[in-house]
Amino acid sequence: AGPCDIYASGNTPCVAAHSTTRALYSAFSGALYQVTRGSDGATTNIAPLSAGGVANAGAQDTFCAATTCLITKIYDQSGRGNTLSPAPPGGAAKGPQSGGVDNSASAIGAPVTLNSQKAYGVFISPGTGYRNDATSGIATGDAAEGMYAVLDGTHYNSGCCFDYGNAETSNTDTGSGAMEAIYFGDSTYWGSGSGSGPWIMADLENGLFSGSNPKENSADPSISSRFVTAIVKGEPTQWAIRGGNADSGALSTYYSGARPSRYNPMHKQGAIILGIGGDNSISAQGTFYEGVMTSGYPSDATENSVQANIVAAKYAAGPLQSGPALTVGSSISLRATTPGYTDRYIAHNGTAIDSDIISSSSSAALRESASWIARTGLGNSNCVSFESKDVAGSYIRHYNFALELVANDGTQQMHEDATFCGQTGLAGSGTTSIRAWGYPTRFFRHYFDVAYIATNGGPEAFDATASYNNDITWQVRTSLG
Ligand code: AHR
């Protein structure tokens, strides 16, 4: 059985079921998600390998070979048509895309395996989000519902709001009680749990709640597992937060009881959001693998069976890097491969990072400015950071999507912005493209002699599609200096 078969037998059927990694009904064999590729804008649907099975990630890899791909739809497996698409602009923020639409997630940002079979999750960077404002069957008003999501317990921030669940159909904040969604992250602006986070909380609008007290509820623990099962459910005068390690063990109840004051009764509207706040606040990050919303308040026993099903799916992290190794400890230089520009290397001039013409006969100072020591990724140990050879303790980071050389200031933001993952170069074998870990649609690019992290056809000039593959493909060689 799949999670939604279990909810159905508990008389709380799924009314939305979203996953890029697997079928959530044992009989489901339809499309899980749609990808759109950068080279020609073509789309394809990715389905399970077999009914009830894991997504056919190989079909995505074939379709996306030598180009970039975005997840542009996450289909609803429940049959109710509650598919998620890039979110429209909202009361708090417009997305970066034309018309104020939010970004789509990279199709390769969150590689995993389920029972050893490859699949991809939905890696939400700030600016990315999905929504459906015209749903069918989702709870409205004070009606009962449940929901769970499987998330990456190590990918989060304190921005508003990495959510999955019920939100306003207007994309605006219509007041307390207009939402009932799972939140995951370490925001302390509203409520919080014990320790330093991250926490599973409920976004009920105008507040993230860890219990009925609007501030700290110490029974809501900090989460430390790589994969986390997060649950929120609500019915008249009653709601609960539950959670657990998606790879082992049982669920625990972190809160169960009365609504916070001003949240009774609820005024749920029945839109569905992923990765954003109800008003399209787009500052949050996180990774979503699968989740559902139900009609009716699921029993703890039903949810416990769903947790056993998730554990049996055996989620494990997949490799973030491919292609020529960026060996930790090695000194390297990165040479451009764009025809006509192969005499250029990524180099720093003070804190600016450019592509400069440098050769083995350049001065030692110039050669050192283009020399980098690959270090274990400051923000994710499965990728790398690039420490300057001549300014020890300083690293390449992105800031407003330009590359800069900065000292390690110890912050999560700096560490994540200084973390990059090497992959087989889009322009050819033996070469490397260097993906921003936290913004996996973006790669090191030289553009008019300056170095950026660029998306393929994004809104900035440096995102231009012309020469994109060449400009983001590098030859990793022994350092010049
Ligand atoms: O409730 C927290 C956030 O507040 C909601 O997600 C958003 O709509 C509002 O800004």
Side-chain angles (χ1 to χ4, degrees):
C4 287
D5 304 308
I6 297 166
Y7 279 112
S9 56
N11 293 317
T12 49
C14 294
V15 286
H18 301 114
S19 178
T20 56
T21 63
R22 64 171 183 145
L24 300 175
Y25 294 84
S26 62
F28 187 81
S29 58
L32 299 170
Y33 64 105
Q34 179 196 66
V35 294
T36 301
R37 71 183 171 199
S39 53
D40 60 0
T43 62
T44 197
N45 288 338
I46 305 300
L49 287 162
S50 60
V54 173
N56 186 354
Q60 174 185 309
D61 291 342
T62 301
F63 183 76
C64 302
T67 188
T68 53
C69 265
L70 301 172
I71 296 172
T72 41
K73 281 187 185 1
I74 305 166
Y75 294 109
D76 174 18
Q77 301 176 33
S78 80
R80 289 182 171 269
N82 292 327
T83 290
L84 297 172
S85 301
K94 290 183 167 50
Q97 298 296 318
S98 77
V101 172
D102 293 355
N103 289 335
S104 299
S106 164
I108 58 167
V112 288
T113 58
L114 283 75
N115 279 307
S116 305
Q117 288 178 308
K118 186 176 181 184
Y120 295 100
V122 185
F123 189 102
I124 301 281
S125 311
T128 305
Y130 296 86
R131 194 170 196 125
N132 186 328
D133 285 329
T135 61
S136 149
I138 304 296
T140 57
D142 207 26
E145 68 177 349
M147 62 196 78
Y148 84 85
V150 176
L151 308 170
D152 180 340
T154 65
H155 183 209
Y156 59 88
N157 69 6
S158 60
C160 177
C161 289
F162 181 71
D163 289 351
Y164 174 72
N166 196 326
E168 295 93 340
T169 54
S170 60
N171 315 309
T172 58
D173 178 348
T174 60
S176 303
M179 296 176 63
E180 187 167 67
I182 294 164
Y183 165 83
F184 184 72
D186 66 349
S187 169
T188 55
Y189 183 77
W190 293 282
S192 63
S194 63
S196 56
W199 304 283
I200 302 166
M201 295 194 275
D203 190 341
L204 305 180
E205 188 52 279
N206 295 317
L208 304 177
F209 291 87
S210 54
S212 70
N213 181 322
K215 302 310 279 185
E216 182 182 325
N217 292 281
S218 58
D220 194 33
S222 292
I223 300 294
S224 59
S225 59
R226 171 63 176 79
F227 295 94
V228 51
T229 307
I231 286 184
V232 167
K233 55 183 169 178
E235 64 181 344
T237 74
Q238 161 68 30
W239 70 290
I241 303 174
R242 306 185 74 214
N245 182 338
D247 270 328
S248 67
L251 296 173
S252 299
T253 299
Y254 299 151
Y255 178 77
S256 178
R259 297 276 184 191
S261 61
R262 294 186 296 108
Y263 289 82
N264 193 31
M266 295 287 284
H267 310 284
K268 301 175 214 180
Q269 295 192 9
I272 307 173
I273 53 172
L274 171 60
I276 50 178
D279 56 7
N280 197 46
S281 295
I282 46 172
S283 303
Q285 64 184 26
T287 296
F288 173 92
Y289 300 106
E290 61 177 76
V292 312
M293 299 173 69
T294 70
S295 172
Y297 191 83
S299 68
D300 286 1
T302 295
E303 290 166 347
N304 296 346
S305 300
V306 169
Q307 165 71 359
N309 177 280
I310 294 165
V311 169
K314 285 200 179 2
Y315 272 93
L320 285 167
Q321 302 200 91
S322 65
L326 288 164
T327 307
V328 169
S330 63
S331 292
I332 60 161
S333 291
L334 296 168
R335 187 164 76 104
T337 66
T338 307
Y341 296 84
T342 56
D343 51 358
R344 289 186 172 270
Y345 289 84
I346 290 189
H348 75 94
N349 293 292
T351 60
I353 308 261
D354 302 321
S355 72
D356 286 339
I357 298 172
I358 303 177
S359 72
S360 50
S361 53
S362 298
S363 69
L366 211 50
R367 285 185 284 115
E368 286 217 330
S369 75
S371 298
W372 310 97
I373 307 167
R375 299 293 188 198
T376 300
L378 293 169
N380 185 304
S381 61
N382 298 309
C383 292
V384 295
S385 293
F386 298 103
E387 184 180 6
S388 166
K389 190 101 185 254
D390 56 352
V391 190
S394 283
Y395 294 81
I396 298 177
R397 75 167 285 179
H398 59 83
Y399 191 88
N400 285 338
F401 309 132
L403 295 184
E404 292 182 350
L405 184 69
V406 297
N408 180 358
D409 66 8
T411 63
Q412 180 194 352
Q413 187 76 52
M414 184 272 165
H415 286 177
E416 293 184 352
D417 291 351
T419 299
F420 302 96
C421 311
Q423 67 178 66
T424 303
L426 290 199
S429 69
T431 61
T432 300
S433 290
I434 301 169
R435 195 170 78 244
W437 172 79
Y439 289 84
T441 64
R442 297 177 177 272
F443 295 84
F444 272 24
R445 180 184 200 170
H446 64 100
Y447 188 76
F448 288 98
D449 310 342
V450 178
Y452 300 92
I453 53 166
T455 58
N456 193 1
E460 311 280 354
F462 56 76
D463 295 327
T465 53
S467 192
Y468 183 81
N469 274 15
N470 286 330
D471 292 354
I472 66 152
T473 298
W474 304 86
Q475 189 199 358
V476 179
R477 48 156 291 174
T478 306
S479 69
L480 287 162

PDB file of all heavy atoms in Angstrom, residues 92 160-161 163 168 172-173 179 190 203-208 263 273 276-281, ligand 1:
ATOM      1  N   ALA A  92       2.783  39.898  -0.233  1.00  0.00           N
ATOM      2  CA  ALA A  92       4.070  40.239   0.374  1.00  0.00           C
ATOM      3  C   ALA A  92       5.172  40.382  -0.651  1.00  0.00           C
ATOM      4  O   ALA A  92       6.105  41.163  -0.457  1.00  0.00           O
ATOM      5  CB  ALA A  92       4.484  39.170   1.382  1.00  0.00           C
ATOM      6  N   CYS A 160      10.674  33.683   5.984  1.00  0.00           N
ATOM      7  CA  CYS A 160       9.265  33.269   5.842  1.00  0.00           C
ATOM      8  C   CYS A 160       9.029  32.851   4.409  1.00  0.00           C
ATOM      9  O   CYS A 160       9.294  33.610   3.499  1.00  0.00           O
ATOM     10  CB  CYS A 160       8.320  34.413   6.196  1.00  0.00           C
ATOM     11  SG  CYS A 160       6.568  33.978   5.968  1.00  0.00           S
ATOM     12  N   CYS A 161       8.419  31.718   4.267  1.00  0.00           N
ATOM     13  CA  CYS A 161       8.091  30.611   5.163  1.00  0.00           C
ATOM     14  C   CYS A 161       8.117  29.336   4.321  1.00  0.00           C
ATOM     15  O   CYS A 161       7.413  29.279   3.295  1.00  0.00           O
ATOM     16  CB  CYS A 161       6.681  30.763   5.746  1.00  0.00           C
ATOM     17  SG  CYS A 161       6.503  32.110   6.961  1.00  0.00           S
ATOM     18  N   ASP A 163       6.683  26.362   3.704  1.00  0.00           N
ATOM     19  CA  ASP A 163       5.406  25.764   4.088  1.00  0.00           C
ATOM     20  C   ASP A 163       4.950  24.727   3.065  1.00  0.00           C
ATOM     21  O   ASP A 163       5.292  24.812   1.883  1.00  0.00           O
ATOM     22  CB  ASP A 163       4.298  26.836   4.112  1.00  0.00           C
ATOM     23  CG  ASP A 163       4.407  27.833   5.261  1.00  0.00           C
ATOM     24  OD1 ASP A 163       5.231  27.636   6.168  1.00  0.00           O
ATOM     25  OD2 ASP A 163       3.651  28.836   5.219  1.00  0.00           O
ATOM     26  N   GLU A 168      -4.336  30.877   1.556  1.00  0.00           N
ATOM     27  CA  GLU A 168      -5.337  31.742   0.949  1.00  0.00           C
ATOM     28  C   GLU A 168      -5.408  31.548  -0.572  1.00  0.00           C
ATOM     29  O   GLU A 168      -4.386  31.446  -1.242  1.00  0.00           O
ATOM     30  CB  GLU A 168      -5.027  33.216   1.222  1.00  0.00           C
ATOM     31  CG  GLU A 168      -5.106  33.623   2.678  1.00  0.00           C
ATOM     32  CD  GLU A 168      -3.771  33.538   3.391  1.00  0.00           C
ATOM     33  OE1 GLU A 168      -2.855  32.824   2.912  1.00  0.00           O
ATOM     34  OE2 GLU A 168      -3.630  34.201   4.448  1.00  0.00           O
ATOM     35  N   THR A 172      -2.850  36.609  -0.665  1.00  0.00           N
ATOM     36  CA  THR A 172      -2.616  37.703   0.271  1.00  0.00           C
ATOM     37  C   THR A 172      -2.955  37.237   1.689  1.00  0.00           C
ATOM     38  O   THR A 172      -3.669  36.251   1.879  1.00  0.00           O
ATOM     39  CB  THR A 172      -3.513  38.918  -0.037  1.00  0.00           C
ATOM     40  OG1 THR A 172      -4.882  38.495   0.009  1.00  0.00           O
ATOM     41  CG2 THR A 172      -3.217  39.483  -1.421  1.00  0.00           C
ATOM     42  N   ASP A 173      -2.443  37.970   2.662  1.00  0.00           N
ATOM     43  CA  ASP A 173      -2.709  37.690   4.078  1.00  0.00           C
ATOM     44  C   ASP A 173      -4.106  38.188   4.408  1.00  0.00           C
ATOM     45  O   ASP A 173      -4.340  39.397   4.486  1.00  0.00           O
ATOM     46  CB  ASP A 173      -1.633  38.412   4.905  1.00  0.00           C
ATOM     47  CG  ASP A 173      -1.824  38.251   6.407  1.00  0.00           C
ATOM     48  OD1 ASP A 173      -2.891  37.773   6.837  1.00  0.00           O
ATOM     49  OD2 ASP A 173      -0.891  38.607   7.141  1.00  0.00           O
ATOM     50  N   MET A 179      -4.868  30.130   7.217  1.00  0.00           N
ATOM     51  CA  MET A 179      -3.945  29.091   6.745  1.00  0.00           C
ATOM     52  C   MET A 179      -3.884  27.952   7.756  1.00  0.00           C
ATOM     53  O   MET A 179      -4.126  28.157   8.948  1.00  0.00           O
ATOM     54  CB  MET A 179      -2.511  29.647   6.615  1.00  0.00           C
ATOM     55  CG  MET A 179      -2.320  30.732   5.606  1.00  0.00           C
ATOM     56  SD  MET A 179      -0.603  31.332   5.666  1.00  0.00           S
ATOM     57  CE  MET A 179       0.299  29.854   5.178  1.00  0.00           C
ATOM     58  N   TRP A 190       7.956  34.451  15.131  1.00  0.00           N
ATOM     59  CA  TRP A 190       6.675  34.179  15.789  1.00  0.00           C
ATOM     60  C   TRP A 190       6.952  33.183  16.916  1.00  0.00           C
ATOM     61  O   TRP A 190       7.585  33.525  17.879  1.00  0.00           O
ATOM     62  CB  TRP A 190       5.661  33.660  14.760  1.00  0.00           C
ATOM     63  CG  TRP A 190       5.255  34.697  13.740  1.00  0.00           C
ATOM     64  CD1 TRP A 190       4.368  35.718  13.925  1.00  0.00           C
ATOM     65  CD2 TRP A 190       5.719  34.802  12.385  1.00  0.00           C
ATOM     66  NE1 TRP A 190       4.259  36.448  12.755  1.00  0.00           N
ATOM     67  CE2 TRP A 190       5.054  35.917  11.808  1.00  0.00           C
ATOM     68  CE3 TRP A 190       6.618  34.069  11.606  1.00  0.00           C
ATOM     69  CZ2 TRP A 190       5.274  36.310  10.479  1.00  0.00           C
ATOM     70  CZ3 TRP A 190       6.837  34.458  10.290  1.00  0.00           C
ATOM     71  CH2 TRP A 190       6.163  35.570   9.742  1.00  0.00           C
ATOM     72  N   ASP A 203       1.926  26.897  10.237  1.00  0.00           N
ATOM     73  CA  ASP A 203       1.662  28.261   9.785  1.00  0.00           C
ATOM     74  C   ASP A 203       0.154  28.430   9.724  1.00  0.00           C
ATOM     75  O   ASP A 203      -0.512  27.833   8.863  1.00  0.00           O
ATOM     76  CB  ASP A 203       2.312  28.505   8.420  1.00  0.00           C
ATOM     77  CG  ASP A 203       2.276  29.984   8.033  1.00  0.00           C
ATOM     78  OD1 ASP A 203       1.454  30.728   8.620  1.00  0.00           O
ATOM     79  OD2 ASP A 203       3.062  30.379   7.152  1.00  0.00           O
ATOM     80  N   LEU A 204      -0.385  29.178  10.687  1.00  0.00           N
ATOM     81  CA  LEU A 204      -1.838  29.393  10.768  1.00  0.00           C
ATOM     82  C   LEU A 204      -2.223  30.794  10.289  1.00  0.00           C
ATOM     83  O   LEU A 204      -3.356  31.206  10.421  1.00  0.00           O
ATOM     84  CB  LEU A 204      -2.320  29.181  12.216  1.00  0.00           C
ATOM     85  CG  LEU A 204      -1.962  27.827  12.845  1.00  0.00           C
ATOM     86  CD1 LEU A 204      -2.481  27.736  14.280  1.00  0.00           C
ATOM     87  CD2 LEU A 204      -2.514  26.664  12.019  1.00  0.00           C
ATOM     88  N   GLU A 205      -1.288  31.487   9.694  1.00  0.00           N
ATOM     89  CA  GLU A 205      -1.363  32.874   9.201  1.00  0.00           C
ATOM     90  C   GLU A 205      -1.150  33.870  10.342  1.00  0.00           C
ATOM     91  O   GLU A 205      -1.741  33.755  11.409  1.00  0.00           O
ATOM     92  CB  GLU A 205      -2.663  33.165   8.454  1.00  0.00           C
ATOM     93  CG  GLU A 205      -2.674  34.536   7.758  1.00  0.00           C
ATOM     94  CD  GLU A 205      -1.469  34.779   6.862  1.00  0.00           C
ATOM     95  OE1 GLU A 205      -0.412  35.155   7.413  1.00  0.00           O
ATOM     96  OE2 GLU A 205      -1.561  34.592   5.625  1.00  0.00           O
ATOM     97  N   ASN A 206      -0.279  34.824  10.033  1.00  0.00           N
ATOM     98  CA  ASN A 206       0.161  35.796  11.041  1.00  0.00           C
ATOM     99  C   ASN A 206       0.762  35.095  12.255  1.00  0.00           C
ATOM    100  O   ASN A 206       0.666  35.585  13.372  1.00  0.00           O
ATOM    101  CB  ASN A 206      -0.969  36.741  11.465  1.00  0.00           C
ATOM    102  CG  ASN A 206      -1.418  37.612  10.325  1.00  0.00           C
ATOM    103  OD1 ASN A 206      -0.576  38.133   9.586  1.00  0.00           O
ATOM    104  ND2 ASN A 206      -2.710  37.738  10.132  1.00  0.00           N
ATOM    105  N   GLY A 207       1.386  33.973  11.986  1.00  0.00           N
ATOM    106  CA  GLY A 207       2.068  33.284  13.060  1.00  0.00           C
ATOM    107  C   GLY A 207       2.441  31.863  12.708  1.00  0.00           C
ATOM    108  O   GLY A 207       1.673  31.151  12.063  1.00  0.00           O
ATOM    109  N   LEU A 208       3.670  31.482  13.142  1.00  0.00           N
ATOM    110  CA  LEU A 208       4.117  30.086  13.101  1.00  0.00           C
ATOM    111  C   LEU A 208       3.988  29.574  14.523  1.00  0.00           C
ATOM    112  O   LEU A 208       4.538  30.172  15.453  1.00  0.00           O
ATOM    113  CB  LEU A 208       5.569  30.007  12.630  1.00  0.00           C
ATOM    114  CG  LEU A 208       5.858  30.665  11.286  1.00  0.00           C
ATOM    115  CD1 LEU A 208       7.353  30.589  10.968  1.00  0.00           C
ATOM    116  CD2 LEU A 208       5.049  30.008  10.174  1.00  0.00           C
ATOM    117  N   TYR A 263      -7.552  31.944  16.878  1.00  0.00           N
ATOM    118  CA  TYR A 263      -7.506  30.976  15.774  1.00  0.00           C
ATOM    119  C   TYR A 263      -8.640  29.953  15.899  1.00  0.00           C
ATOM    120  O   TYR A 263      -8.550  28.844  15.385  1.00  0.00           O
ATOM    121  CB  TYR A 263      -6.133  30.299  15.721  1.00  0.00           C
ATOM    122  CG  TYR A 263      -5.064  31.262  15.233  1.00  0.00           C
ATOM    123  CD1 TYR A 263      -4.475  32.170  16.106  1.00  0.00           C
ATOM    124  CD2 TYR A 263      -4.687  31.285  13.893  1.00  0.00           C
ATOM    125  CE1 TYR A 263      -3.519  33.077  15.663  1.00  0.00           C
ATOM    126  CE2 TYR A 263      -3.736  32.182  13.450  1.00  0.00           C
ATOM    127  CZ  TYR A 263      -3.156  33.073  14.327  1.00  0.00           C
ATOM    128  OH  TYR A 263      -2.218  33.958  13.871  1.00  0.00           O
ATOM    129  N   ILE A 273      -0.058  25.582  -0.935  1.00  0.00           N
ATOM    130  CA  ILE A 273       1.239  26.214  -1.191  1.00  0.00           C
ATOM    131  C   ILE A 273       2.363  25.239  -0.889  1.00  0.00           C
ATOM    132  O   ILE A 273       2.219  24.324  -0.076  1.00  0.00           O
ATOM    133  CB  ILE A 273       1.442  27.490  -0.340  1.00  0.00           C
ATOM    134  CG1 ILE A 273       1.214  27.220   1.155  1.00  0.00           C
ATOM    135  CG2 ILE A 273       0.534  28.612  -0.847  1.00  0.00           C
ATOM    136  CD1 ILE A 273       1.596  28.387   2.054  1.00  0.00           C
ATOM    137  N   ILE A 276       6.546  28.585   0.249  1.00  0.00           N
ATOM    138  CA  ILE A 276       6.280  30.022   0.418  1.00  0.00           C
ATOM    139  C   ILE A 276       5.293  30.229   1.558  1.00  0.00           C
ATOM    140  O   ILE A 276       4.662  29.277   2.018  1.00  0.00           O
ATOM    141  CB  ILE A 276       5.683  30.633  -0.873  1.00  0.00           C
ATOM    142  CG1 ILE A 276       4.504  29.774  -1.374  1.00  0.00           C
ATOM    143  CG2 ILE A 276       6.765  30.793  -1.939  1.00  0.00           C
ATOM    144  CD1 ILE A 276       3.816  30.303  -2.619  1.00  0.00           C
ATOM    145  N   GLY A 277       5.123  31.493   1.978  1.00  0.00           N
ATOM    146  CA  GLY A 277       4.075  31.842   2.917  1.00  0.00           C
ATOM    147  C   GLY A 277       2.765  32.074   2.190  1.00  0.00           C
ATOM    148  O   GLY A 277       2.700  32.124   0.950  1.00  0.00           O
ATOM    149  N   GLY A 278       1.716  32.253   2.969  1.00  0.00           N
ATOM    150  CA  GLY A 278       0.393  32.414   2.382  1.00  0.00           C
ATOM    151  C   GLY A 278       0.268  33.637   1.502  1.00  0.00           C
ATOM    152  O   GLY A 278      -0.514  33.659   0.541  1.00  0.00           O
ATOM    153  N   ASP A 279       1.061  34.682   1.831  1.00  0.00           N
ATOM    154  CA  ASP A 279       1.043  35.921   1.041  1.00  0.00           C
ATOM    155  C   ASP A 279       2.183  35.940   0.025  1.00  0.00           C
ATOM    156  O   ASP A 279       2.605  36.996  -0.420  1.00  0.00           O
ATOM    157  CB  ASP A 279       1.132  37.117   1.985  1.00  0.00           C
ATOM    158  CG  ASP A 279       2.358  37.046   2.899  1.00  0.00           C
ATOM    159  OD1 ASP A 279       3.208  36.135   2.713  1.00  0.00           O
ATOM    160  OD2 ASP A 279       2.472  37.890   3.805  1.00  0.00           O
ATOM    161  N   ASN A 280       2.685  34.762  -0.314  1.00  0.00           N
ATOM    162  CA  ASN A 280       3.823  34.596  -1.227  1.00  0.00           C
ATOM    163  C   ASN A 280       5.111  35.214  -0.684  1.00  0.00           C
ATOM    164  O   ASN A 280       5.982  35.624  -1.450  1.00  0.00           O
ATOM    165  CB  ASN A 280       3.535  35.112  -2.644  1.00  0.00           C
ATOM    166  CG  ASN A 280       4.534  34.559  -3.651  1.00  0.00           C
ATOM    167  OD1 ASN A 280       4.823  33.363  -3.643  1.00  0.00           O
ATOM    168  ND2 ASN A 280       5.091  35.410  -4.506  1.00  0.00           N
ATOM    169  N   SER A 281       5.276  35.249   0.627  1.00  0.00           N
ATOM    170  CA  SER A 281       6.603  35.552   1.180  1.00  0.00           C
ATOM    171  C   SER A 281       7.567  34.503   0.634  1.00  0.00           C
ATOM    172  O   SER A 281       7.292  33.302   0.723  1.00  0.00           O
ATOM    173  CB  SER A 281       6.574  35.484   2.715  1.00  0.00           C
ATOM    174  OG  SER A 281       5.747  36.498   3.241  1.00  0.00           O
TER     175      SER A 281
HETATM  176  O1  AHR B   1       1.960  33.191   9.329  1.00  0.00           O
HETATM  177  C1  AHR B   1       3.243  33.494   8.888  1.00  0.00           C
HETATM  178  C2  AHR B   1       3.220  34.240   7.592  1.00  0.00           C
HETATM  179  O2  AHR B   1       2.717  35.531   7.786  1.00  0.00           O
HETATM  180  C3  AHR B   1       2.339  33.695   6.508  1.00  0.00           C
HETATM  181  O3  AHR B   1       2.876  32.586   5.808  1.00  0.00           O
HETATM  182  C4  AHR B   1       2.253  34.878   5.598  1.00  0.00           C
HETATM  183  O4  AHR B   1       1.099  34.866   4.813  1.00  0.00           O
HETATM  184  C5  AHR B   1       2.321  36.069   6.531  1.00  0.00           C
HETATM  185  O5  AHR B   1       3.315  36.962   6.107  1.00  0.00           O
END
